[in-house]
Structure formats: structure tokens, C-alpha cells
Coordinates of all heavy atoms in Angstrom, one line a residue:
M250 N 18.1 -5.6 -7.0 CA 16.8 -6.1 -7.2 C 15.7 -5.1 -6.6 O 14.8 -4.8 -7.2 CB 16.6 -7.5 -6.7 CG 15.2 -8.1 -6.9 SD 14.9 -8.3 -8.6 CE 13.7 -9.5 -8.5
K251 N 16.0 -4.6 -5.4 CA 15.1 -3.7 -4.7 C 15.0 -2.4 -5.5 O 14.0 -1.8 -5.6 CB 15.5 -3.4 -3.3 CG 15.2 -4.6 -2.4 CD 15.6 -4.2 -0.9 CE 15.3 -5.4 0.0 NZ 15.6 -5.1 1.4
K252 N 16.2 -1.9 -6.0 CA 16.2 -0.7 -6.7 C 15.4 -0.8 -8.0 O 14.7 0.1 -8.4 CB 17.6 -0.2 -7.0 CG 17.7 1.1 -7.7 CD 19.1 1.7 -7.8 CE 19.1 3.0 -8.4 NZ 20.4 3.6 -8.5
A253 N 15.6 -1.9 -8.7 CA 14.8 -2.1 -9.9 C 13.3 -2.1 -9.7 O 12.6 -1.6 -10.4 CB 15.3 -3.4 -10.6
L254 N 12.9 -2.8 -8.6 CA 11.5 -2.8 -8.2 C 11.0 -1.4 -7.9 O 9.9 -1.0 -8.3 CB 11.3 -3.7 -7.0 CG 9.9 -3.9 -6.5 CD1 9.0 -4.4 -7.7 CD2 9.8 -4.8 -5.4
F255 N 11.8 -0.6 -7.2 CA 11.4 0.7 -6.8 C 11.3 1.6 -8.1 O 10.3 2.3 -8.2 CB 12.4 1.4 -5.9 CG 12.1 2.8 -5.5 CD1 11.1 3.1 -4.6 CD2 12.7 3.9 -6.2 CE1 10.8 4.4 -4.3 CE2 12.4 5.2 -5.9 CZ 11.4 5.4 -4.9
V256 N 12.2 1.5 -9.0 CA 12.1 2.2 -10.3 C 10.9 1.8 -11.0 O 10.2 2.7 -11.6 CB 13.4 2.1 -11.1 CG1 13.3 2.7 -12.5 CG2 14.6 2.7 -10.4
L257 N 10.6 0.5 -11.1 CA 9.4 0.1 -11.8 C 8.1 0.7 -11.1 O 7.2 1.2 -11.8 CB 9.3 -1.5 -11.7 CG 8.1 -2.1 -12.4 CD1 8.1 -1.8 -13.9 CD2 8.1 -3.6 -12.2
V258 N 8.0 0.6 -9.8 CA 6.9 1.2 -9.1 C 6.8 2.7 -9.4 O 5.8 3.3 -9.6 CB 6.9 0.9 -7.6 CG1 5.9 1.7 -6.8 CG2 6.8 -0.6 -7.4
A259 N 8.0 3.4 -9.2 CA 8.0 4.8 -9.4 C 7.5 5.2 -10.8 O 6.8 6.1 -11.0 CB 9.4 5.4 -9.2
T260 N 8.0 4.4 -11.8 CA 7.6 4.7 -13.2 C 6.1 4.5 -13.4 O 5.5 5.3 -14.1 CB 8.4 3.8 -14.1 OG1 9.8 4.0 -13.9 CG2 8.1 4.1 -15.6
S261 N 5.6 3.5 -12.8 CA 4.1 3.2 -12.9 C 3.3 4.4 -12.3 O 2.2 4.7 -12.8 CB 3.7 1.9 -12.3 OG 3.9 1.9 -10.9
L262 N 3.8 5.0 -11.3 CA 3.1 6.1 -10.7 C 3.1 7.3 -11.6 O 2.2 8.2 -11.4 CB 3.8 6.5 -9.3 CG 3.6 5.5 -8.2 CD1 4.4 6.0 -7.0 CD2 2.1 5.4 -7.8
L263 N 4.0 7.5 -12.5 CA 4.1 8.6 -13.3 C 2.8 8.8 -14.2 O 2.4 9.9 -14.5 CB 5.3 8.6 -14.2 CG 6.6 8.7 -13.4 CD1 7.8 8.6 -14.4 CD2 6.7 10.0 -12.7
G264 N 2.3 7.6 -14.6 CA 1.1 7.7 -15.4 C -0.1 8.2 -14.7 O -1.0 8.8 -15.3
V265 N -0.2 8.1 -13.4 CA -1.4 8.5 -12.7 C -1.1 9.8 -11.9 O -2.0 10.4 -11.4 CB -1.9 7.4 -11.7 CG1 -2.3 6.2 -12.4 CG2 -0.8 7.1 -10.7
G266 N 0.1 10.2 -11.7 CA 0.4 11.4 -10.9 C 0.2 11.2 -9.5 O 0.0 10.1 -9.0
C267 N 0.0 12.2 -8.8 CA -0.3 12.1 -7.3 C -1.8 12.1 -7.2 O -2.5 13.0 -7.6 CB 0.2 13.3 -6.6 SG 2.0 13.4 -6.6
A268 N -2.3 11.1 -6.5 CA -3.7 10.9 -6.4 C -4.3 11.9 -5.4 O -5.5 12.3 -5.6 CB -4.0 9.5 -5.9
N269 N -3.6 12.3 -4.4 CA -4.1 13.1 -3.4 C -4.0 14.6 -3.8 O -2.9 15.2 -3.8 CB -3.4 12.9 -2.0 CG -3.9 13.8 -0.9 OD1 -4.8 14.6 -1.1 ND2 -3.4 13.6 0.3
Q270 N -5.1 15.2 -4.1 CA -5.1 16.6 -4.6 C -5.5 17.6 -3.5 O -5.6 18.8 -3.8 CB -6.1 16.7 -5.8 CG -5.7 15.9 -7.0 CD -4.3 16.4 -7.6 OE1 -4.1 17.5 -7.7 NE2 -3.5 15.4 -7.9
N271 N -5.6 17.1 -2.3 CA -6.0 18.0 -1.2 C -4.8 18.3 -0.4 O -4.5 17.7 0.6 CB -7.1 17.3 -0.3 CG -7.6 18.2 0.8 OD1 -7.4 19.4 0.7 ND2 -8.2 17.7 1.8
R272 N -4.0 19.4 -0.8 CA -2.8 19.7 -0.1 C -2.7 21.1 0.4 O -1.6 21.6 0.7 CB -1.6 19.5 -1.1 CG -1.4 18.0 -1.5 CD -0.4 17.9 -2.6 NE -0.8 18.7 -3.7 CZ -1.7 18.4 -4.7 NH1 -2.3 17.3 -4.6 NH2 -1.9 19.2 -5.7
G273 N -3.7 21.8 0.5 CA -3.6 23.1 1.1 C -3.0 24.1 0.1 O -3.4 24.2 -1.0
D274 N -2.0 24.9 0.6 CA -1.3 25.9 -0.2 C -0.7 25.4 -1.5 O -0.8 26.1 -2.5 CB -0.2 26.6 0.6 CG -0.8 27.4 1.8 OD1 -2.0 27.8 1.7 OD2 -0.1 27.7 2.7
S275 N -0.1 24.2 -1.5 CA 0.5 23.7 -2.7 C -0.6 23.4 -3.8 O -0.3 23.6 -5.0 CB 1.3 22.4 -2.4 OG 0.5 21.4 -1.9
A276 N -1.8 23.1 -3.4 CA -2.8 22.9 -4.3 C -3.2 24.2 -5.1 O -3.4 24.1 -6.3 CB -4.1 22.3 -3.7
S277 N -3.2 25.3 -4.4 CA -3.5 26.5 -5.0 C -2.4 26.9 -6.0 O -2.6 27.7 -6.9 CB -3.7 27.7 -4.0 OG -2.5 27.9 -3.3
M278 N -1.2 26.4 -5.8 CA -0.1 26.6 -6.8 C -0.2 25.7 -8.0 O 0.5 25.9 -9.0 CB 1.3 26.4 -6.1 CG 1.6 27.3 -5.0 SD 3.1 26.7 -4.1 CE 4.2 26.5 -5.5
G279 N -1.0 24.7 -7.9 CA -1.1 23.8 -9.0 C 0.0 22.7 -9.1 O 0.1 22.0 -10.1
V280 N 0.7 22.6 -8.0 CA 1.8 21.5 -7.9 C 1.2 20.2 -7.4 O 0.2 20.2 -6.7 CB 3.0 22.0 -7.1 CG1 3.7 23.2 -7.7 CG2 2.7 22.2 -5.7
V281 N 1.8 19.1 -7.7 CA 1.3 17.8 -7.4 C 1.9 17.3 -6.0 O 1.4 16.3 -5.5 CB 1.6 16.7 -8.4 CG1 0.9 17.1 -9.7 CG2 3.1 16.6 -8.7
N282 N 2.8 18.1 -5.4 CA 3.4 17.6 -4.2 C 3.3 18.7 -3.1 O 3.4 19.9 -3.4 CB 4.9 17.3 -4.4 CG 5.7 18.4 -5.1 OD1 5.3 18.9 -6.1 ND2 6.8 18.7 -4.5
A283 N 3.1 18.3 -1.9 CA 3.0 19.2 -0.8 C 4.4 19.5 -0.1 O 4.6 20.5 0.4 CB 2.1 18.7 0.3
R284 N 5.3 18.5 -0.3 CA 6.7 18.6 0.3 C 7.7 18.7 -0.8 O 7.4 18.2 -1.9 CB 7.0 17.4 1.2 CG 6.0 17.3 2.3 CD 6.8 16.9 3.6 NE 5.9 16.9 4.7 CZ 5.9 17.9 5.6 NH1 6.6 18.9 5.5 NH2 5.0 17.8 6.7
C285 N 8.8 19.3 -0.6 CA 9.8 19.5 -1.6 C 10.2 18.2 -2.3 O 10.4 17.2 -1.6 CB 11.1 20.1 -0.9 SG 12.5 20.3 -2.0
A286 N 10.3 18.2 -3.6 CA 10.6 17.0 -4.3 C 12.0 16.5 -4.2 O 12.3 15.4 -4.5 CB 10.3 17.3 -5.8
I287 N 12.9 17.4 -3.6 CA 14.3 17.0 -3.4 C 14.5 16.5 -1.9 O 14.9 15.4 -1.6 CB 15.3 18.1 -3.7 CG1 15.2 18.4 -5.2 CG2 16.7 17.7 -3.3 CD1 15.7 17.3 -6.1
T288 N 14.1 17.4 -0.9 CA 14.3 17.0 0.5 C 13.3 16.1 1.0 O 13.5 15.4 2.0 CB 14.4 18.3 1.3 OG1 13.1 18.9 1.3 CG2 15.5 19.2 0.9
N289 N 12.1 16.2 0.5 CA 10.9 15.4 0.9 C 10.6 15.8 2.4 O 10.0 15.0 3.1 CB 11.1 13.9 0.7 CG 9.8 13.2 0.6 OD1 8.7 13.8 0.3 ND2 9.8 11.9 0.9
S290 N 11.0 16.9 2.8 CA 10.7 17.3 4.2 C 10.1 18.7 4.3 O 9.2 18.9 5.1 CB 12.0 17.2 5.1 OG 13.0 18.0 4.7
G291 N 10.7 19.6 3.6 CA 10.2 21.0 3.7 C 9.0 21.2 2.9 O 8.8 20.6 1.8
P292 N 8.1 22.1 3.3 CA 6.9 22.4 2.4 C 7.3 23.1 1.1 O 8.3 23.8 1.1 CB 6.1 23.3 3.3 CG 7.0 23.9 4.3 CD 8.1 22.9 4.5
V293 N 6.5 23.0 0.1 CA 6.7 23.7 -1.1 C 6.6 25.2 -0.9 O 5.7 25.6 -0.2 CB 5.7 23.2 -2.2 CG1 5.7 24.0 -3.4 CG2 5.9 21.7 -2.5
N294 N 7.5 25.9 -1.5 CA 7.5 27.4 -1.3 C 6.9 28.0 -2.6 O 7.3 27.8 -3.7 CB 9.0 27.8 -1.3 CG 9.2 29.3 -1.0 OD1 8.2 30.1 -1.3 ND2 10.3 29.7 -0.6
P295 N 5.8 28.7 -2.3 CA 5.1 29.3 -3.5 C 5.9 30.4 -4.2 O 5.5 30.7 -5.4 CB 3.8 29.9 -2.9 CG 4.1 30.1 -1.4 CD 5.1 29.0 -1.1
A296 N 7.0 30.8 -3.6 CA 7.8 31.8 -4.3 C 8.8 31.2 -5.3 O 9.4 31.9 -6.1 CB 8.6 32.6 -3.3
I297 N 8.9 29.9 -5.3 CA 9.8 29.2 -6.2 C 9.0 28.7 -7.4 O 8.0 27.9 -7.2 CB 10.5 28.0 -5.5 CG1 11.3 28.5 -4.3 CG2 11.5 27.3 -6.5 CD1 12.3 29.6 -4.5
E298 N 9.3 29.0 -8.6 CA 8.6 28.6 -9.8 C 8.7 27.0 -9.9 O 9.8 26.5 -9.8 CB 9.3 29.2 -11.0 CG 8.6 28.9 -12.3 CD 7.2 29.5 -12.5 OE1 7.0 30.6 -11.9 OE2 6.4 29.0 -13.2
P299 N 7.6 26.4 -10.0 CA 7.6 24.9 -10.1 C 8.3 24.4 -11.5 O 8.3 25.2 -12.4 CB 6.1 24.5 -10.1 CG 5.4 25.7 -9.8 CD 6.2 26.9 -10.0
A300 N 8.7 23.2 -11.5 CA 9.3 22.6 -12.7 C 8.2 21.7 -13.3 O 7.3 21.2 -12.6 CB 10.5 21.7 -12.3
M301 N 8.2 21.6 -14.6 CA 7.3 20.7 -15.3 C 7.9 19.3 -15.4 O 9.1 19.2 -15.8 CB 6.9 21.2 -16.6 CG 6.0 22.5 -16.6 SD 4.4 22.3 -15.7 CE 3.6 21.1 -16.8
Y302 N 7.2 18.3 -15.0 CA 7.7 16.9 -15.1 C 6.5 16.0 -15.6 O 5.5 15.9 -14.9 CB 8.3 16.4 -13.8 CG 8.8 15.0 -13.9 CD1 9.9 14.7 -14.7 CD2 8.2 14.0 -13.3 CE1 10.4 13.5 -14.8 CE2 8.7 12.7 -13.4 CZ 9.8 12.4 -14.1 OH 10.3 11.2 -14.2
K303 N 6.7 15.4 -16.7 CA 5.6 14.5 -17.3 C 4.3 15.2 -17.3 O 3.2 14.6 -17.0 CB 5.6 13.2 -16.5 CG 6.9 12.5 -16.4 CD 7.2 11.8 -17.7 CE 8.5 11.0 -17.6 NZ 9.0 10.4 -18.8
G304 N 4.3 16.5 -17.6 CA 3.0 17.2 -17.7 C 2.4 17.7 -16.4 O 1.3 18.2 -16.4
Q305 N 3.2 17.6 -15.3 CA 2.7 18.0 -14.0 C 3.7 19.0 -13.4 O 4.9 18.9 -13.6 CB 2.5 16.8 -13.1 CG 1.4 15.9 -13.7 CD 1.2 14.7 -12.8 OE1 1.0 14.9 -11.6 NE2 1.2 13.5 -13.3
K306 N 3.2 19.9 -12.6 CA 4.0 20.9 -11.9 C 4.6 20.3 -10.6 O 3.8 19.7 -9.8 CB 3.3 22.1 -11.6 CG 2.9 23.0 -12.8 CD 2.2 24.2 -12.3 CE 1.8 25.1 -13.5 NZ 1.1 26.3 -13.1
V307 N 5.9 20.4 -10.4 CA 6.5 19.8 -9.2 C 7.1 21.0 -8.4 O 7.8 21.9 -9.0 CB 7.7 18.9 -9.6 CG1 8.4 18.3 -8.4 CG2 7.1 17.8 -10.5
G308 N 6.8 21.1 -7.1 CA 7.3 22.2 -6.3 C 8.5 21.9 -5.5 O 8.8 20.7 -5.2
F309 N 9.1 22.9 -5.0 CA 10.4 22.8 -4.2 C 10.4 23.8 -3.1 O 9.6 24.8 -3.1 CB 11.6 23.2 -5.2 CG 11.6 22.3 -6.4 CD1 11.0 22.8 -7.6 CD2 12.1 21.0 -6.4 CE1 11.0 22.0 -8.7 CE2 12.1 20.2 -7.5 CZ 11.5 20.7 -8.7
C310 N 11.2 23.5 -2.1 CA 11.3 24.4 -0.9 C 12.2 25.6 -1.1 O 12.0 26.7 -0.5 CB 11.7 23.6 0.3 SG 13.4 23.0 0.2
C311 N 13.1 25.5 -2.1 CA 14.0 26.6 -2.3 C 14.6 26.5 -3.7 O 14.5 25.5 -4.4 CB 15.2 26.6 -1.3 SG 16.3 25.2 -1.4
A312 N 15.2 27.6 -4.2 CA 15.8 27.6 -5.5 C 16.9 26.6 -5.7 O 17.1 26.0 -6.7 CB 16.3 29.0 -5.8
G313 N 17.7 26.3 -4.6 CA 18.7 25.3 -4.6 C 18.2 24.0 -4.9 O 18.8 23.2 -5.7
C314 N 17.0 23.6 -4.4 CA 16.5 22.3 -4.6 C 16.0 22.2 -6.1 O 16.1 21.2 -6.7 CB 15.4 22.0 -3.7 SG 16.0 21.5 -2.0
K315 N 15.4 23.3 -6.6 CA 15.0 23.3 -8.0 C 16.2 23.1 -8.9 O 16.1 22.3 -9.9 CB 14.3 24.6 -8.4 CG 13.8 24.5 -9.8 CD 13.0 25.8 -10.2 CE 12.5 25.6 -11.6 NZ 11.8 26.8 -12.1
A316 N 17.3 23.7 -8.6 CA 18.5 23.5 -9.4 C 19.0 22.1 -9.3 O 19.5 21.5 -10.3 CB 19.6 24.5 -8.9
K317 N 18.9 21.5 -8.1 CA 19.3 20.1 -8.0 C 18.4 19.2 -8.8 O 18.9 18.2 -9.4 CB 19.2 19.6 -6.5 CG 20.4 20.2 -5.7 CD 20.2 19.8 -4.2 CE 21.3 20.5 -3.4 NZ 21.1 20.2 -1.9
W318 N 17.1 19.5 -8.8 CA 16.1 18.7 -9.6 C 16.5 18.7 -11.1 O 16.5 17.7 -11.8 CB 14.7 19.3 -9.4 CG 13.7 18.7 -10.4 CD1 13.3 19.2 -11.6 CD2 12.9 17.6 -10.2 NE1 12.4 18.5 -12.2 CE2 12.1 17.4 -11.3 CE3 12.8 16.6 -9.2 CZ2 11.2 16.4 -11.4 CZ3 11.9 15.6 -9.3 CH2 11.1 15.5 -10.4
E319 N 16.9 19.9 -11.6 CA 17.2 20.1 -13.0 C 18.4 19.3 -13.4 O 18.6 18.9 -14.5 CB 17.3 21.6 -13.3 CG 16.0 22.3 -13.2 CD 16.1 23.8 -13.3 OE1 17.2 24.4 -13.3 OE2 15.0 24.4 -13.4
A320 N 19.3 19.0 -12.4 CA 20.5 18.3 -12.7 C 20.3 16.7 -12.6 O 21.2 16.0 -13.0 CB 21.6 18.7 -11.7
L321 N 19.2 16.3 -12.1 CA 18.9 14.9 -12.0 C 18.7 14.2 -13.3 O 18.2 14.8 -14.3 CB 17.7 14.6 -11.1 CG 17.7 15.1 -9.7 CD1 16.3 14.8 -9.0 CD2 18.8 14.3 -8.9
S322 N 19.0 12.9 -13.4 CA 18.7 12.1 -14.5 C 17.2 11.8 -14.5 O 16.5 12.0 -13.5 CB 19.4 10.7 -14.5 OG 18.9 9.9 -13.4
E323 N 16.6 11.3 -15.6 CA 15.2 11.0 -15.7 C 14.8 9.9 -14.6 O 13.8 10.0 -14.0 CB 14.8 10.5 -17.1 CG 14.7 11.6 -18.1 CD 13.6 12.6 -17.7 OE1 12.5 12.3 -17.3 OE2 14.0 13.8 -17.7
G324 N 15.7 8.9 -14.4 CA 15.4 7.9 -13.4 C 15.4 8.5 -12.0 O 14.5 8.1 -11.2
E325 N 16.3 9.4 -11.7 CA 16.4 10.0 -10.4 C 15.1 10.9 -10.2 O 14.6 11.0 -9.1 CB 17.6 10.8 -10.3 CG 18.9 10.0 -10.2 CD 20.2 10.8 -10.3 OE1 20.2 11.8 -11.0 OE2 21.2 10.4 -9.6
K326 N 14.7 11.6 -11.3 CA 13.5 12.4 -11.2 C 12.3 11.5 -10.9 O 11.5 11.9 -10.0 CB 13.3 13.2 -12.5 CG 14.2 14.4 -12.6 CD 14.0 15.2 -13.9 CE 14.9 16.3 -14.0 NZ 14.8 17.0 -15.3
A327 N 12.2 10.4 -11.5 CA 11.1 9.5 -11.3 C 11.1 9.0 -9.8 O 10.0 9.0 -9.2 CB 11.2 8.3 -12.2
E328 N 12.2 8.7 -9.2 CA 12.3 8.3 -7.8 C 11.9 9.5 -6.9 O 11.1 9.2 -6.0 CB 13.7 7.9 -7.5 CG 14.1 6.6 -8.1 CD 15.6 6.2 -7.8 OE1 16.1 6.7 -6.8 OE2 16.1 5.4 -8.6
H329 N 12.4 10.6 -7.1 CA 12.1 11.8 -6.3 C 10.6 12.2 -6.4 O 9.9 12.5 -5.4 CB 12.9 13.0 -6.6 CG 14.3 12.9 -6.0 ND1 14.6 13.4 -4.8 CD2 15.5 12.4 -6.5 CE1 15.9 13.2 -4.5 NE2 16.4 12.6 -5.6
F330 N 10.1 12.1 -7.6 CA 8.7 12.4 -7.9 C 7.8 11.5 -7.2 O 6.8 11.9 -6.5 CB 8.4 12.4 -9.4 CG 7.0 12.7 -9.8 CD1 6.6 14.0 -9.8 CD2 6.1 11.7 -10.1 CE1 5.3 14.4 -10.2 CE2 4.8 12.0 -10.5 CZ 4.4 13.4 -10.5
A331 N 8.1 10.2 -7.2 CA 7.2 9.2 -6.6 C 7.3 9.4 -5.1 O 6.2 9.3 -4.4 CB 7.7 7.8 -6.9
A332 N 8.5 9.6 -4.5 CA 8.6 9.8 -3.1 C 7.8 11.1 -2.6 O 7.2 11.1 -1.6 CB 10.0 10.0 -2.7
A333 N 7.9 12.2 -3.4 CA 7.2 13.4 -3.0 C 5.7 13.2 -3.1 O 5.0 13.7 -2.3 CB 7.6 14.5 -4.0
C334 N 5.2 12.5 -4.1 CA 3.8 12.2 -4.2 C 3.3 11.3 -3.1 O 2.2 11.4 -2.6 CB 3.5 11.6 -5.5 SG 3.6 12.7 -6.9
A335 N 4.1 10.4 -2.6 CA 3.7 9.4 -1.6 C 3.6 10.1 -0.2 O 2.8 9.6 0.6 CB 4.8 8.3 -1.5
T336 N 4.2 11.3 0.0 CA 4.0 12.0 1.2 C 2.8 12.9 1.3 O 2.6 13.5 2.3 CB 5.3 12.8 1.6 OG1 5.5 13.8 0.6 CG2 6.5 11.9 1.7
N337 N 2.1 13.0 0.2 CA 0.9 13.9 0.2 C -0.2 13.4 1.1 O -0.4 12.3 1.3 CB 0.4 14.1 -1.2 CG 1.3 15.0 -2.0 OD1 2.0 15.7 -1.5 ND2 1.1 14.9 -3.3

């Protein structure tokens, strides 16, 4: 039940994206998250090409995390995206 609720909330966030657009360096990259979308701990690395997700650029701390993102299901991407946006 909790997972279903989380997925519902995460999915609803996709329509609005990340509300906080004041993120320092990540903002200059045009990404919606300040912290890695996979680890949710490391800062976004401007040397790593962002991924596009639902029309928005998502940043990562390293190439390995970008590869992990690309292997995620749509539901998993929604969860990671919501978590990364929540830490802005």
C-alpha cells in the first residue's frame, strides 16, 4: 500500500517537475535536480551529459549512475526523479 501511494505521489510530481529552480551549478546546466538522480547524495556533475525524462533534463554524479538510470523501468525512474527533486 505504501509503495502504491509513493508511486502515485511520484507520478503526480512528474507533471510539475521540480519546483525549486535555485540550485546553483546544476541550474546553469539546465537540469532539474541538484543531487544525483540515482544516489541522491552526490552533486550533479556538469561533465556528465544529462538524460531527458518527461521533457526535463536529469543530472547524475557519474557515467555509471547515468547507465543505471537508463536501465531503470519507467516506474523506477519516476521514483528516483521524485526523490531527486525533493532534495532540491
Side-chain angles (χ1 to χ4, degrees):
M250 180 68 156
K251 286 183 181 181
K252 184 173 182 175
L254 179 59
F255 179 77
V256 171
L257 178 63
V258 170
T260 303
S261 67
L262 288 174
L263 294 176
V265 297
C267 296
N269 183 356
Q270 296 297 317
N271 185 16
R272 292 173 304 282
D274 292 338
S275 59
S277 66
M278 295 173 49
V280 298
V281 296
N282 54 310
R284 301 224 175 256
C285 178
I287 295 296
T288 66
N289 203 22
S290 61
V293 169
N294 182 343
I297 306 301
E298 183 70 27
M301 291 300 293
Y302 181 69
K303 304 288 183 181
Q305 299 183 48
K306 290 182 181 180
V307 181
F309 306 95
C310 65
C311 66
C314 283
K315 183 176 181 185
K317 288 178 184 177
W318 170 269
E319 292 169 353
L321 294 176
S322 70
E323 283 300 312
E325 291 168 325
K326 285 180 181 176
E328 289 177 22
H329 282 273
F330 181 80
C334 289
T336 61
N337 287 340

